[in-house]
Amino acid sequence: MKGLSEMEESLKAALEMRRDGDLLGSNRLFIELVLQHPDHAMLHYECACSYDILAQEEEAIPFYDRALELGLSDKEAINAYTQLGSL
């Protein structure tokens, strides 16, 4: 993965873990990434999505909130607001 930062590689790995069905492992990696990069909106968003997939909606809320505060693209912001509205 030449040219990708360590964070980008870890993000890609967490998304691949999620796709492969390792939902808990993916969630743990997202939590670790958020702790390492607390001002990265997309990591907060993906961490929130991870909690949502695990049916842990209450845990997802602060991550969606923080992702929105930090600034998301329109598509992710709409998804985050939709998810928050459904909780």
Side-chain angles (χ1 to χ4, degrees):
M1 286 179 234
K2 189 173 181 178
L4 291 179
S5 72
E6 184 177 331
M7 187 273 300
E8 290 169 322
E9 288 180 15
S10 295
L11 173 59
K12 184 176 179 182
L15 291 170
E16 287 176 5
M17 291 168 75
R18 181 189 292 166
R19 269 192 306 276
D20 292 342
D22 184 2
L23 303 179
L24 290 174
S26 175
N27 182 256
R28 282 191 295 270
L29 185 50
F30 279 123
I31 293 167
E32 183 179 315
L33 285 167
V34 164
L35 291 173
Q36 292 172 1
H37 305 277
D39 295 326
H40 195 286
M42 187 54 91
L43 293 178
H44 283 271
Y45 173 77
E46 290 296 348
C47 191
C49 291
S50 180
Y51 276 118
D52 254 347
I53 291 167
L54 292 170
Q56 297 178 8
E57 293 87 0
E58 289 297 316
E59 288 83 354
I61 292 170
F63 291 98
Y64 281 129
D65 286 340
R66 184 66 177 138
L68 289 164
E69 287 173 13
L70 292 169
L72 291 170
S73 72
D74 288 345
K75 178 184 174 187
E76 282 81 17
I78 289 168
N79 289 339
Y81 281 120
T82 300
Q83 288 305 111
L84 282 169
S86 72
L87 301 177

